Amino acid sequence: TLVAATNRPQDLDEALMSRFAGVVTFPLPDIEGRTAIFDTYATSLTMAEKIALARRCESCSGRDVKDACEAAERKWAAQLARKGGKSASASPPPMRMYEMAVEARAARNF
């Protein structure tokens, strides 16, 4: 038995797809689902900020939302490391970092 998953079924070859007995599809998360994912991965943001971000990424999968949060955090950490400030390193990423990551991720989905 083989089970596979993808967020980009349009990229799969028909010959590959013909080898699967069935296909189960899951819809993209709604605003409540995206907000819950932001709540899990962007813990430093306010609920209002999480809702605002969730509204901006309607075409994103749950994985896209998680990846955007991680990208924002990596970019923020890199900026702090370049500045070399130890006291600033404890500060969480600002909302703008998440906004930029969400915009980049949503643009990939169109």
Side-chain angles (χ1 to χ4, degrees):
T1 300
L2 175 67
V3 177
T6 182
N7 286 333
R8 300 187 52 83
Q10 67 274 15
D11 293 342
L12 298 179
D13 180 76
E14 283 188 43
L16 174 68
M17 291 299 295
S18 71
R19 299 184 186 277
F20 292 98
V23 176
V24 178
T25 58
F26 296 91
L28 293 174
D30 59 12
I31 186 141
E32 290 84 14
R34 293 188 306 274
T35 301
I37 297 166
F38 278 114
D39 196 37
T40 299
Y41 293 104
T43 57
S44 64
L45 298 180
T46 67
M47 187 53 70
E49 289 171 326
K50 294 170 189 175
I51 292 168
L53 288 172
R55 286 188 176 125
R56 295 175 75 170
C57 58
E58 198 170 318
S59 65
C60 292
S61 68
R63 175 69 179 262
D64 291 330
V65 173
K66 177 184 178 221
D67 288 351
C69 291
E70 290 174 349
E73 292 162 2
R74 280 192 306 273
K75 188 169 186 170
W76 181 242
Q79 283 185 3
L80 293 176
R82 281 192 297 274
K83 290 180 182 176
K86 289 189 177 195
S87 63
S89 65
S91 67
M95 173 67 165
R96 183 65 193 138
M97 289 300 217
Y98 290 98
E99 290 171 329
M100 290 187 304
V102 164
E103 288 167 12
R105 201 70 185 180
R108 286 182 36 186
N109 293 328
F110 286 108

